[in-house]
């Protein structure tokens, strides 16, 4: 995956963050289109924030930056600053990398991209409890689909994982892996 390819496939409001998305994807071994899809769902690439752009907030002031990291659950992220006191969460590279690292942690823990996406929105504890509560329901594929639906039901709109994967599929080449 090259920067030029990513720029070419992403819509303009996300392509402006291609460099940051690709860097975070490289560090976390995740698909840059997956990270772009989270950025799109969370903030429309910054367009849905107040004020619009990477230093804006959402979710009644609790979601910070492009990846809408919640200040109530990530106080260290919120307090981190550079040598002149500028909050790092306002920097696209830091914000996207932090969000990507969260997703990587959830994926390593939950072992499923859809569940990890739901955890990004609803919290890993809630998602784990909802998914683990589904223990019967047919073959392994059907059981996993039920677990994913239970996890998604906890998220904003009840479809976070499904929606992020749908957005990714709009831009990613068919052979682009979710993990590298």
């Amino acid at each position: 995956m090259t920067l030029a390819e990513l720029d070419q496939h992403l819509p303009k409001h996300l392509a402006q963050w291609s460099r940051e998305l690709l860097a975070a994807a490289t560090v976390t071994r995740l698909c840059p289109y997956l990270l772009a899809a989270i950025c799109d769902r969370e903030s429309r690439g910054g367009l849905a924030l107040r004020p619009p752009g990477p230093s804006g907030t959402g979710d009644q002031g609790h979601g910070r930056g492009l990846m809408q990291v919640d200040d109530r659950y990530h106080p260290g992220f919120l307090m981190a600053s550079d040598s002149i006191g500028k909050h790092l969460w306002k920097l696209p590279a830091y914000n996207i990398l932090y969000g990507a690292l969260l997703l990587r942690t959830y994926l390593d823990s939950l072992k499923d991209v859809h569940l990890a996406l739901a955890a990004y929105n609803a919290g890993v504890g809630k998602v784990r409890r909802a998914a683990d509560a589904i223990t019967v329901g047919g073959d392994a594929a059907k059981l996993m689909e039920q677990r994913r639906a239970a996890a998604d039901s906890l998220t904003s709109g009840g479809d976070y994982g499904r929606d992020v994967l749908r957005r990714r599929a709009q831009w990613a080449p068919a052979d682009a892996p979710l993990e590298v």
Side-chain angles (χ1 to χ4, degrees), residues 22-36:
L22 189 57
T26 300
V27 169
T28 58
R29 302 174 330 276
L30 293 169
C31 174
Y33 296 103
L34 182 63
L35 300 180

Side-chain angles (χ1 to χ4, degrees), residues 110 115-116 118-120 122-132 151 154-155:
L110 296 166
L115 295 178
Y120 188 91
V124 71
K126 288 180 188 177
V127 165
R128 185 183 306 283
R129 284 188 296 279
D132 288 350
L154 303 171
T155 66

Side-chain angles (χ1 to χ4, degrees), residues 75-92:
F77 165 79
L78 181 67
M79 295 180 349
S81 62
D82 65 14
S83 62
I84 59 171
K86 182 174 181 166
H87 294 290
L88 295 178
W89 69 263
K90 296 180 178 185
L91 302 175

Side-chain angles (χ1 to χ4, degrees), residues 24-58:
T26 300
V27 169
T28 58
R29 302 174 330 276
L30 293 169
C31 174
Y33 296 103
L34 182 63
L35 300 180
I38 293 171
C39 184
D40 193 50
R41 169 72 187 243
E42 290 291 341
S43 72
R44 298 284 299 144
L47 296 175
L49 303 180
R50 297 287 179 260
S55 62
T57 63

